[in-house]
Amino acid sequence: MAKPNAKQIKVLSEVTGLPASDEVAERIAVSMGPAFDNFAAIAGTLPLDLEPATYVAVQNGKVGK
């Protein structure tokens, strides 16, 4: 997954109803960049469920019962 740029951050913030200025969107994009770079090496290899709502059920052993 490519790291987001300021334009993408701005669009996402508007969609969520919390619009960000161009300056704030740029700061967010710059601050997120290193995290995306660090996880790029293992992207797609982590055995995580795609639906966060099931995390607690899995931890409690209630899935499939």
Side-chain angles (χ1 to χ4, degrees), residues 14-34:
E14 290 172 2
V15 167
T16 63
L18 299 167
S21 68
D22 291 340
E23 179 184 336
V24 170
E26 181 64 33
R27 286 185 11 227
I28 293 170
V30 168
S31 68
M32 291 175 62

Side-chain angles (χ1 to χ4, degrees), residues 1-64:
M1 173 181 253
K3 57 185 170 184
N5 60 34
K7 183 178 178 181
Q8 293 168 319
I9 297 292
K10 188 161 178 69
V11 169
L12 287 171
S13 69
E14 290 172 2
V15 167
T16 63
L18 299 167
S21 68
D22 291 340
E23 179 184 336
V24 170
E26 181 64 33
R27 286 185 11 227
I28 293 170
V30 168
S31 68
M32 291 175 62
F36 276 81
D37 292 340
N38 290 336
F39 282 104
I42 59 170
T45 64
L46 299 174
L48 298 177
D49 190 347
L50 298 177
E51 174 53 52
T54 61
Y55 291 164
V56 174
V58 170
Q59 286 179 331
N60 294 331
K62 295 182 180 181
V63 172

